[in-house]
Amino acid sequence: GSRVRLAIPGEYESLTFACWVRIDSLDRQYNGLYLADSYQPGECHWQLQKDGRVLFSFLHSPKVNFKSLSPVVWDISKSGQWLHLAVTLDLEKQKVVHYANGEMIFDHPIGAKYRIDTTRFGSGELGNWGFPNTPDNEWFAIRNLNGRIDEFAIFADALDPAEILEMYTIGNPQ
């Protein structure tokens, strides 16, 4: 149930989330890395799904949600191992790119239907979600991450692959 609360004002043309994560288990459908409190248009969620894929999403407009799912990055054999994850939202190029351990694993065009020109963070949480829209649906509302997060970084720019690789290389303890 641990979490870190934060509030980042302003609107941005792009973003990058990056962190080291050590997952003990993914026993919920959604396991939070970063979740915006109220999930208003332009706000993002970054989480791990129960099946080991990374889900990055943003609300385009009320009830219109863009979702980008990476390939599987975690399974039970990796329990307790540190993994570096990153995702970029590049609104100039209109694409989302997922990374695992410094390597690009999925490049997802946004498409005209979901086009946005700015994103924002607002108030949110790392590792949990305190303000679900449907608190009566436990499977949907409870999103605490069972594991640890270290060196969580947020950038108001879409870092390029070389910068993501450098971040991984510098932080890799092996």
Side-chain angles (χ1 to χ4, degrees):
S2 297
R3 66 193 78 209
V4 174
R5 298 267 320 133
L6 48 117
I8 303 171
E11 292 191 345
Y12 304 90
E13 294 177 8
S14 293
L15 66 80
T16 299
F17 289 131
C19 70
W20 285 92
V21 62
R22 193 182 98 179
I23 303 161
D24 297 329
S25 67
L26 296 175
D27 56 345
R28 293 170 179 74
Q29 180 60 37
Y30 302 108
N31 303 268
L33 295 171
Y34 172 83
L35 292 148
D37 284 350
S38 58
Y39 204 46
Q40 297 299 310
E43 293 181 346
C44 303
H45 283 179
W46 189 37
Q47 40 201 336
L48 290 154
Q49 289 200 154
K50 188 174 191 158
D51 64 4
R53 296 183 294 168
V54 179
L55 170 62
F56 177 83
S57 62
F58 62 81
L59 194 63
H60 173 269
S61 56
K63 300 185 182 187
V64 179
N65 187 25
F66 173 83
K67 294 181 180 181
S68 178
L69 276 170
S70 79
V72 172
V73 298
W74 187 88
D75 61 44
I76 195 68
S77 71
K78 295 177 183 165
S79 181
Q81 297 176 16
W82 286 99
L83 173 68
H84 187 262
L85 297 176
V87 66
T88 61
L89 170 62
D90 187 330
L91 294 179
E92 180 180 336
K93 296 178 182 173
Q94 291 292 303
K95 69 179 185 173
V96 171
V97 181
H98 294 267
Y99 298 84
N101 289 336
E103 300 291 324
M104 182 188 315
I105 58 170
F106 188 57
D107 186 330
H108 188 171
I110 292 171
K113 176 181 177 181
Y114 298 103
R115 181 180 179 84
I116 60 172
D117 295 315
T118 59
T119 187
R120 55 197 177 105
F121 302 100
S123 297
E125 294 186 1
L126 307 182
N128 212 327
W129 194 28
F131 295 95
N133 291 334
T134 56
D136 54 325
N137 292 332
E138 183 177 310
W139 73 267
F140 181 80
I142 297 176
R143 299 192 186 191
N144 58 298
L145 178 73
N146 288 328
R148 293 169 173 83
I149 297 173
D150 196 15
E151 298 181 13
F152 198 104
I154 300 173
F155 300 89
D157 195 10
L159 299 184
D160 66 40
E163 292 169 311
I164 301 291
L165 179 58
E166 181 180 15
M167 195 180 329
Y168 165 72
T169 302
I170 289 170
N172 188 356
Q174 288 140 359

